[in-house]
């Protein structure tokens, strides 16, 4: 189902942000009094049993031509955890934390790749009489996968409902802005980094190498992230710098990448965390603390790629290794999300993530690929 009106390029005005907001660019005015509003936590989704793993992976990679053998290899990561991705329970916990932190709106949860699908939740909100939804993406950063695709998810859900002649009128929507530099997100990551440092032997802490990680993306995707490009890397550098400075002001750190999933012929952001650990060992480093600032929860890619693969690499190299937790439901992080919602409802100039230009993070699809068939790196 196409989310692009006939005759319009996907990167042409009106932007996805404007279209999802009823054709109006998100503005600086406060929310209208009496409008029935809700908060939608929009995530990636994950399987909840062995039998769901392959259908889930086929959803994620639809349209990419990924060989069956590759999917089966990735599926083993999920089967290692009884076919259950931790991401669903983590998102449920985040929803509960937001409700408990004073969000005075109905809070819904939907996913891109697995139940509850965003299309179904959109209809549920419409049936409940919601007129406007604020969308909290479970990604703090710019990029196609980290921001634009969430705008597309909303657009797809709205188009699906509008195409049903018997369906209710769906809500308009606006995505909340990027929150990589939000006070509570930084504090949550800093507290986790300090705790991870404390796990190392005392004589190694001051000299341990600090290594921030984030999901790698294709170079071509990084080139167009944000209005001027490369916003993904810049936001991550900022978040990592703010985090480290809370713990050890001015201390150096490295930003590296994990969870690459593309073919070797396509350039992705490098270095990979495992390659970087080998380089650190060769340079004489004795200890490393990895802090996955690019993620907001300890989902499967964090657990598998860091707690299994990176940890094993460090052990083989003789590097002392500690891994910091993600923000999760840290109270300060949750408070920052509540404040982010309050900020948009109160008005003020919308920031990037809410008011994204039409071409922002746009990645050209191969001819014939439907709008809904794009995978996420999230």
């Amino acid at each position: 189902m196409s989310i692009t009106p006939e005759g319009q390029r996907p990167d042409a005005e009106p932007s996805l942000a404007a279209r999802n907001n009823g054709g109006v660019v998100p503005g600086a005015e406060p929310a209208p009094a009496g409008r029935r509003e809700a908060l939608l936590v929009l995530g990636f989704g994950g399987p909840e049993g062995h039998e769901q793993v392959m259908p889930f992976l086929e959803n994620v990679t639809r349209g990419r031509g990924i060989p069956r053998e590759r999917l089966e290899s990735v599926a083993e990561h999920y089967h290692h955890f009884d076919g259950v991705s931790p991401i669903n329970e983590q998102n449920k916990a985040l929803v509960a934390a937001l409700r408990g932190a004073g969000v005075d709106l109905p809070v819904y949860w939907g996913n891109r790749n697995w139940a509850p699908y965003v299309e179904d939740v959109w209809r549920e909100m419409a049936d409940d009489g919601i007129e406007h939804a604020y969308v909290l993406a479970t990604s703090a950063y710019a990029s196609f996968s980290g921001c634009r695709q969430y705008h597309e998810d909303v657009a797809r859900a709205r188009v699906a409902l509008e195409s049903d002649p018997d369906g209710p009128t769906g809500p308009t929507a606006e995505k909340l802005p990027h929150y990589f530099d939000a006070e509570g997100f930084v504090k949550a990551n800093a507290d986790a980094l300090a705790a991870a440092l404390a796990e190392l032997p005392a004589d190694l802490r001051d000299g341990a190498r600090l290594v921030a990680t984030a999901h790698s993306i294709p170079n071509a995707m990084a080139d167009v992230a944000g209005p001027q490009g490369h916003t993904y890397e810049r936001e991550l550098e900022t978040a990592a710098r703010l985090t480290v400075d809370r713990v050890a002001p001015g201390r150096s750190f490295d930003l590296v990448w994990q969870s690459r999933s593309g073919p070797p012929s396509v350039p992705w952001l490098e270095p990979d965390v495992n390659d970087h650990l080998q380089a650190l060992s060769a340079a004489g480093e004795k200890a490393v603390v990895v802090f996955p600032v690019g993620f907001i929860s300890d989902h499967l890619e964090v657990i598998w790629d860091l707690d299994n693969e990176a940890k094993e690499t460090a052990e083989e190299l003789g590097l002392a290794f500690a891994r910091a937790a993600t923000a999760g439901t840290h109270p300060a992080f949750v408070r920052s999300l509540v404040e982010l919602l309050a900020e948009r409802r109160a008005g003020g100039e919308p920031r990037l993530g809410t008011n994204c230009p039409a071409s922002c993070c746009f990645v050209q699809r191969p001819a014939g690929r439907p709008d809904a068939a794009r995978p996420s790196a999230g």
Side-chain angles (χ1 to χ4, degrees):
M1 178 178 297
S2 176
I3 61 172
T4 303
E6 186 176 355
Q8 180 192 328
R9 284 176 48 86
D11 58 341
E13 298 290 354
S15 66
L16 285 168
R19 282 157 45 196
N20 289 337
N21 195 43
V24 179
V25 174
E29 301 78 19
R35 184 172 66 178
R36 296 193 64 183
E37 299 178 332
L39 175 66
L40 171 64
V41 176
L42 183 53
F44 188 75
E48 303 213 14
H50 290 294
E51 73 286 353
Q52 296 181 7
V53 172
M54 284 304 293
F56 164 73
L57 291 176
E58 288 164 354
N59 273 355
V60 174
T61 60
R62 187 186 310 117
R64 293 178 64 186
I66 302 297
R68 180 78 178 185
E69 314 85 76
R70 172 59 180 159
L71 295 185
E72 290 172 349
S73 174
V74 174
E76 287 306 311
H77 300 172
Y78 288 92
H79 292 312
H80 183 79
F81 298 97
D82 295 323
V84 178
S85 170
I87 198 169
N88 290 338
E89 288 304 316
Q90 290 164 0
N91 283 335
K92 290 176 188 176
L94 180 58
V95 167
L98 288 165
R99 288 171 175 156
V103 173
D104 59 350
L105 298 178
V107 184
Y108 296 80
W109 165 51
N111 292 321
R112 174 182 303 154
N113 295 302
W114 205 249
Y117 288 102
V118 61
E119 293 92 337
D120 298 329
V121 176
W122 211 261
R123 179 176 289 271
E124 180 185 355
M125 289 193 293
D127 287 338
D128 291 344
I130 300 302
E131 299 172 299
H132 188 77
Y134 297 94
V135 179
L136 172 62
T138 54
S139 165
Y141 300 94
S143 79
F144 173 83
S145 298
C147 183
R148 184 182 178 97
Q149 197 170 15
Y150 288 101
H151 285 288
E152 292 191 357
D153 292 336
V154 171
R156 192 177 67 250
R158 297 186 75 241
V159 167
L161 190 60
E162 290 168 2
S163 66
D164 181 357
D166 299 320
T169 301
T172 55
E174 55 186 300
K175 180 179 172 291
L176 296 180
H178 304 162
Y179 47 87
F180 65 95
D181 57 352
E183 166 66 21
F185 185 62
V186 173
K187 176 171 173 50
N189 281 291
D191 287 354
L193 176 58
L197 269 169
E199 295 175 12
L200 294 177
D203 61 330
L204 293 178
R205 291 172 196 163
D206 289 343
R209 195 73 178 184
L210 306 184
V211 178
T213 69
H215 205 302
S216 184
I217 60 175
N219 288 2
M221 190 181 291
D223 290 345
V224 298
Q228 284 80 47
H230 296 284
T231 303
Y232 183 58
E233 299 111 303
R234 287 196 296 271
E235 290 180 345
L236 282 159
E237 286 277 359
T238 298
R241 180 75 270 164
L242 291 170
T243 296
V244 170
D245 283 350
R246 284 290 191 92
V247 179
R251 187 164 171 173
S252 63
F253 67 90
D254 306 315
L255 174 62
V256 304
W257 312 96
Q258 63 172 88
S259 310
R260 176 193 169 119
S261 60
S265 59
V266 177
W268 284 51
L269 295 178
E270 295 179 336
D272 175 78
V273 60
N274 294 286
D275 295 337
H276 189 64
L277 292 177
Q278 292 175 7
L280 291 179
S281 177
E285 298 287 351
K286 302 300 182 186
V288 62
V289 175
V290 173
F291 61 111
V293 72
F295 306 89
I296 74 163
S297 67
D298 279 17
H299 55 69
L300 189 129
E301 284 174 321
V302 174
I303 295 171
W304 184 266
D305 294 348
L306 298 182
D307 296 350
N308 286 274
E309 293 181 350
K311 184 179 180 181
E312 288 177 5
T313 298
E315 289 174 349
E316 291 169 359
L317 295 168
L319 282 170
F321 179 90
R323 197 271 287 180
T326 49
T329 56
H330 188 295
F333 175 47
V334 175
R335 282 197 301 273
S336 276
L337 296 179
V338 175
E339 291 165 1
L340 201 68
L341 173 62
E343 171 192 310
R344 281 308 304 144
R345 296 182 74 193
E349 201 60 37
R351 295 186 282 116
L352 190 63
T354 296
N355 187 20
C356 297
S359 61
C360 194
C361 300
F362 175 68
V363 176
Q364 183 68 53
R365 290 150 170 80
R369 178 179 295 173
D371 288 329
R374 181 73 193 183
S376 168

